[in-house]
Amino acid sequence: MRPIVAHISLPALAHNLAQVRQYAPHAKVISVVKANGYGHGLLNVAQGLTDTDAFAVLSPSEAIALRDAGYQQPVLLLEGVFSAEQLVDVDRYRLDMVVHHAAQITWLQQATLSAPIRVFLKLDSGMHRLGFQPADYQHARTQLASCANVSDIVLMTHFANADVSNGVTQAMQTVAQVMADQPYQRSLANSAAVVQQPHTHADWVRPGIMLYGATPIAEKTAASLGLKPVMTLQSALISVQEIQAGESVGYGSLFIADKPTKVGIVACGYADGYPRHAGTGTPIAVNGKLTRTLGRVSMDMLAVDVTDIAEAQIGSPVELWGALVPVDAVAQAAGTIGYELLCAVASRVPFKVYG
């Protein structure tokens, strides 16, 4: 068996959830576990988030998986239903749903449910992705308030720029105008807003990436925010060789040594989810010591500089990302974000849950 494995830490998840509550002590927490738990495994992460007040997923199938596993907390469908037929599962599994367009209201009005459900009415406060326009929001709310299939309404929006210090100013002005003097709870804050926009916390916060120990704010490290990495992507050296000055490593000969260099080959490549565009110098750790990648990442392997790690040998452990190598640092080297790397770990990589 190849040595690559993704370790998932339940204690780190529980710690990060507790950290959310430190940032937003007066709000209830909807833990966002869509995209297969941000690549960690939906039911894996649910084990570490048993103290959450609610879960949020993308599809009814994810919600059903949580229910079948015994989770009784509210489960919110972040994009609502995609057809009237899906309301059967919403009713059967007692799910909450976002309502962001008029057709969903019509489906609710026409449905026959065993009991009313809670809906989150989404306002487009400037992101222009999903949600009712401010001019249409009150009418949508009135329709839902009079709908026999709706038990409760939570007013909701999503911020486009919560990671910028003043990035929610305009959005919050819209929220204040549209949601003022309404007898309903509100859910506004994503991870970035949880961390640095305390005036947006309201009644329900919706942390996502921060639960997994990556940063929602480019200028701040996850560690500086008190977060712990949940996933450690680990492999091992499967070859060690020495090259001379002028010799190259990998496809395209992108790395050419300027001095004698000891090169380790790691059993991990872009088919495992490691970013192909992570060039020479991307941080990596061998035997617990930080070093750098060399040359182009290939499908199943990548090269690392072990010149200054005398004990490096075949079988030496390698951390691709985790406690020593923040996933955000690898993402930055590859020109992307930590979210993408965590979500992109391939199905051929085995997962081991501990804690």
Side-chain angles (χ1 to χ4, degrees):
M1 181 180 292
R2 291 174 77 228
I4 189 169
V5 62
H7 295 280
I8 306 300
S9 169
L10 300 184
L13 273 163
H15 168 87
N16 294 338
L17 176 58
Q19 195 67 12
V20 171
R21 296 194 190 280
Q22 289 290 317
Y23 280 108
H26 304 298
K28 291 184 179 180
V29 178
I30 303 173
S31 293
V32 180
V33 294
K34 63 179 180 176
N36 195 28
Y38 281 53
H40 295 66
L42 173 63
L43 298 183
N44 292 341
V45 300
Q47 294 179 68
L49 298 170
T50 55
D51 289 338
T52 191
D53 299 298
F55 292 104
V57 296
L58 181 68
S59 66
S61 62
E62 293 171 310
I64 292 168
L66 288 171
R67 288 285 186 255
D68 287 346
Y71 294 95
Q72 299 300 312
Q73 291 101 322
V75 180
L76 173 64
L77 300 177
L78 284 169
E79 293 181 11
V81 293
F82 303 98
S83 68
E85 289 73 22
Q86 288 184 328
L87 285 170
V88 173
D89 286 332
V90 170
D91 185 33
R92 179 181 302 154
Y93 294 96
R94 293 286 88 200
L95 307 179
D96 295 349
M97 61 175 275
V98 168
V99 172
H100 61 84
H101 64 74
Q104 291 171 326
I105 297 178
T106 300
W107 298 339
L108 278 168
Q109 290 171 328
Q110 296 175 349
T112 301
L113 305 184
S114 63
I117 63 168
R118 177 167 55 187
V119 300
F120 284 61
L121 178 59
K122 192 162 193 178
L123 169 71
D124 181 357
S125 60
M127 192 168 191
H128 301 314
R129 195 173 64 175
L130 295 180
F132 289 89
Q133 294 303 305
D136 302 322
Y137 194 74
Q138 300 294 12
H139 177 61
R141 192 202 78 245
T142 300
Q143 287 181 296
L144 290 171
S146 62
C147 179
N149 285 322
V150 173
S151 62
D152 190 19
I153 301 171
V154 177
L155 308 182
M156 177 187 185
T157 197
H158 191 69
F159 298 124
N161 300 299
D163 54 330
V164 180
S165 59
N166 62 349
V168 301
T169 301
Q170 182 60 53
M172 285 301 289
Q173 289 175 356
T174 301
V175 165
Q177 292 167 1
V178 176
M179 298 185 186
D181 302 321
Q182 300 294 325
Y184 301 105
Q185 293 189 334
R186 295 183 298 163
S187 177
L188 313 175
N190 57 2
S191 288
V194 167
V195 168
Q196 69 174 17
Q197 311 285 357
H199 61 297
T200 70
H201 290 168
D203 303 288
W204 294 87
V205 294
R206 305 187 309 274
I209 193 64
M210 69 183 298
L211 291 173
Y212 306 98
T215 182
I217 302 170
E219 296 78 18
K220 297 180 180 179
T221 66
S224 73
L225 300 176
L227 305 174
K228 295 182 178 181
V230 172
M231 180 192 294
T232 298
L233 185 62
Q234 182 177 318
S235 190
L237 299 183
I238 58 173
S239 174
V240 179
Q241 57 184 301
E242 294 189 9
I243 63 174
Q244 302 304 311
E247 294 185 314
S248 64
V249 173
Y251 287 119
S253 300
L254 295 186
F255 172 78
I256 300 175
D258 59 4
K259 61 182 179 180
T261 302
K262 187 177 176 183
V263 179
I265 303 300
V266 183
C268 178
Y270 60 77
D272 299 297
Y274 196 86
R276 182 177 180 272
H277 297 295
T280 295
T282 301
I284 196 167
V286 178
N287 273 355
K289 296 180 179 178
L290 289 174
T291 183
R292 60 176 181 150
T293 64
L294 300 175
R296 177 175 287 164
V297 175
S298 56
M299 184 178 289
D300 307 307
M301 292 172 280
L302 57 86
V304 296
D305 188 347
V306 292
T307 305
D308 297 326
I309 306 177
E311 69 275 22
Q313 59 185 330
I314 292 175
S316 291
V318 176
E319 182 183 292
L320 288 308
W321 58 69
L324 290 174
V325 184
V327 67
D328 300 304
V330 179
Q332 183 177 24
T336 185
I337 55 177
Y339 304 64
E340 182 179 9
L341 301 193
L342 294 173
C343 290
V345 176
S347 60
R348 75 180 192 176
V349 176
F351 279 61
K352 294 185 178 179
V353 180
Y354 67 92

